[in-house]
Amino acid sequence: MPNWLFILVNVGVAAFVGGITNHFAIKMLFHPREEIRIRGWKLPFTPGLIPKRKEEIAESLGEVVSDYLVTSEGLQEMIRKPLFRTKAEDAVNRKLKFLLESEQTLGDLALKLWSPEEWQQLKDRAVLTAQSVTARGVTAVWSDYGLEDKPLKDLIPGWSEETRQRWSEVAAEAVLKELGDTLLSSDGQRLLKEMASAMMDKAGGFLGTMAAIFVDEDKLVQKLTPMLIGQLEGKKVRQTIVSVVSGKLEQYGEMSLGRVVEAAAGEFGPGLITRKLEESIPWKAWIERLENVRITDFITPRLPAIEGALPGLIDKGLRMLEDAVPAAMKAVDLPNLVQEQVQKFPVERLEEVILSVSGREFRAITWLGVLLGGLIGMFQSFITLLWR
């Protein structure tokens, strides 16, 4: 055989062996997927390296990712970078601009975050919470200021004997005027007529019979009315009513507020106030009215204040986010999370990803095997020829 042909054959064979060896070495990283047994004997190098060591690779990747790639310190450092803050500001400003141009209502925005059932539950819970806060506030004020045992006169500004006398005179004037107007009204006249008739019926005997025959009830009422009005306008009646009202005011002034409320309403003070507030404050209607407000109508009047407060709010939000990173990382349990995800990742898909990224390098390794094999074959041929 000529020397040149001998060298060419040796180089070709060695190059083929080197290339095919590297090619199968790369393939054996992923193949075969499962172990192969022949008559109970396990074929060596089955399954391939990655399928065989998948759990160990997943565990190692979890440790590497959590210890070196995604760490609390690294995330906190990223949050502190000016670029991250700038991106956060841009995102908030874009969202604010979108809301200003939106025709959606606050209710529409809420329904994007919660389902209709969840949103209704939140509204009901908000009403109950507002009522509960109101009740606790009333109870706290009632207790903190000692209103249960505090005399009524200590709670009314300017309480004095002169004040009570003035109030009593005003009350007496109102009562006498109301009585006079009532007596002069048709209802009052009818009442007087009924009273006169009842008096004659009760009189009985001869006198009662004579009164029923000769006394005209209408005329009697007409004569009684001016007399009664005159008595009501008299000084004595007025002084009597003023004295009674003043005495009652003095009596109630010495009573505690708790006793006064309980005596007047028949229930405990805080309970009464809370019930009245619940009846007078339409929490549900306010919430329903609020959810029908357009977002732009809600934001536009407050836009200068929002824009002024935005930098501070972003700084505070970033600080809160930075402080929450260690706890969040601990709660996520990144090593186990990565390990679980890698274990679930199909080997076929993993092979596609690695080959798509490193396919050129793997082909270079194959051709490097061809080159090295060829060089080895050439070197071996020269040694053989020299030995001859």
Side-chain angles (χ1 to χ4, degrees):
M1 177 184 296
N3 290 341
W4 65 269
L5 183 58
F6 176 76
I7 293 173
L8 184 61
V9 170
N10 279 346
V11 170
V13 171
F16 176 77
V17 171
I20 200 69
T21 300
N22 283 7
H23 175 74
F24 278 110
I26 293 170
K27 286 293 184 181
M28 288 176 66
L29 292 173
F30 306 97
H31 299 275
R33 310 288 190 207
E34 304 290 340
E35 65 178 29
I36 299 175
R37 289 185 174 272
I38 301 176
R39 294 184 178 181
W41 179 73
K42 178 178 173 296
L43 190 66
F45 306 109
T46 62
L49 177 62
I50 291 179
K52 183 177 182 180
R53 302 294 185 183
K54 186 177 179 181
E55 292 187 2
E56 298 176 13
I57 293 172
E59 184 178 354
S60 299
L61 279 176
E63 294 176 356
V64 169
V65 169
S66 61
D67 292 343
Y68 300 102
L69 300 182
V70 184
T71 62
S72 299
E73 294 78 9
L75 291 175
Q76 288 174 323
E77 184 179 354
M78 180 189 69
I79 293 172
R80 287 193 291 266
K81 288 182 178 180
L83 180 62
F84 187 86
R85 188 185 190 283
T86 302
K87 289 182 178 180
E89 288 181 347
D90 292 341
V92 172
N93 287 326
R94 285 196 302 270
K95 189 64 176 179
L96 185 60
K97 183 179 179 181
F98 170 78
L99 293 176
L100 286 172
E101 297 173 353
S102 174
E103 293 296 323
Q104 295 179 337
T105 64
L106 294 175
D108 296 332
L109 181 62
L111 290 176
K112 289 185 176 181
L113 302 175
W114 301 284
S115 66
E117 294 77 14
E118 291 173 337
W119 175 232
Q120 186 61 46
Q121 290 176 0
L122 285 174
K123 290 193 294 183
D124 295 340
R125 197 178 305 162
V127 172
L128 293 176
T129 301
Q131 293 175 345
S132 176
V133 170
T134 302
R136 288 199 298 270
V138 170
T139 303
V141 171
W142 188 272
S143 175
D144 293 343
Y145 288 92
L147 299 181
E148 177 67 23
D149 301 321
K150 185 166 290 188
L152 189 63
K153 64 180 182 181
D154 293 345
L155 299 172
I156 299 178
W159 182 276
S160 64
E161 185 175 351
E162 293 77 9
T163 304
R164 292 200 312 274
Q165 184 67 23
R166 187 169 62 253
W167 289 346
S168 300
E169 291 175 357
V170 172
E173 180 69 24
V175 169
L176 292 173
K177 185 177 183 305
E178 186 65 26
L179 283 174
D181 294 341
T182 301
L183 289 176
L184 292 174
S185 66
S186 58
D187 292 336
Q189 294 294 297
R190 185 170 58 253
L191 177 63
L192 289 176
K193 189 174 180 179
E194 291 174 355
M195 291 174 62
S197 177
M199 288 174 61
M200 288 186 292
D201 289 342
K202 289 182 179 180
F206 177 76
L207 182 60
T209 303
M210 295 299 293
I213 296 173
F214 295 104
V215 176
D216 187 349
E217 295 177 355
D218 292 333
K219 292 182 179 179
L220 179 61
V221 170
Q222 290 177 0
K223 292 181 178 180
L224 284 175
T225 300
M227 182 180 65
L228 291 174
I229 295 297
Q231 290 295 322
L232 292 177
E233 293 176 351
K235 185 176 181 181
K236 186 175 182 180
V237 173
R238 182 182 301 273
Q239 288 178 346
T240 301
I241 295 178
V242 169
S243 177
V244 171
V245 173
S246 179
K248 287 296 181 182
L249 285 177
E250 184 178 4
Q251 178 183 352
Y252 284 122
E254 296 296 332
M255 293 175 61
S256 67
L257 179 61
R259 287 181 58 196
V260 172
V261 172
E262 191 169 356
E267 58 182 305
F268 187 51
L272 173 66
I273 298 173
T274 301
R275 182 170 57 81
K276 292 297 182 182
L277 288 175
E278 289 178 356
E279 293 173 356
S280 60
I281 301 179
W283 294 111
K284 187 175 182 179
W286 287 354
I287 292 176
E288 291 177 351
R289 192 182 309 164
L290 182 63
E291 70 175 344
N292 292 323
V293 175
R294 292 193 312 163
I295 298 176
T296 182
D297 295 338
F298 182 80
I299 294 179
T300 301
R302 301 168 177 82
L303 187 58
I306 293 174
E307 291 177 341
L310 204 56
L313 292 175
I314 291 176
D315 287 337
K316 184 178 293 185
L318 292 177
R319 285 197 299 270
M320 292 175 61
L321 180 61
E322 182 180 343
D323 294 338
V325 165
M329 292 288 290
K330 186 176 181 180
V332 168
D333 194 7
L334 191 58
N336 287 333
L337 178 63
V338 173
Q339 182 178 348
E340 290 176 2
Q341 295 303 314
V342 173
Q343 288 175 347
K344 294 177 182 177
F345 202 74
V347 177
E348 297 83 358
R349 178 61 181 154
L350 181 61
E351 181 180 5
E352 292 178 5
V353 171
I354 293 177
L355 291 179
S356 66
V357 175
S358 305
R360 182 180 300 176
E361 287 74 11
F362 284 158
R363 287 191 294 272
I365 291 173
T366 302
W367 286 108
L368 180 61
V370 172
L371 177 60
L372 290 177
L375 291 176
I376 292 171
M378 183 180 294
F379 180 75
Q380 184 178 3
S381 300
F382 286 148
I383 294 296
T384 302
L385 290 176
L386 289 176
W387 181 261
R388 289 180 181 177

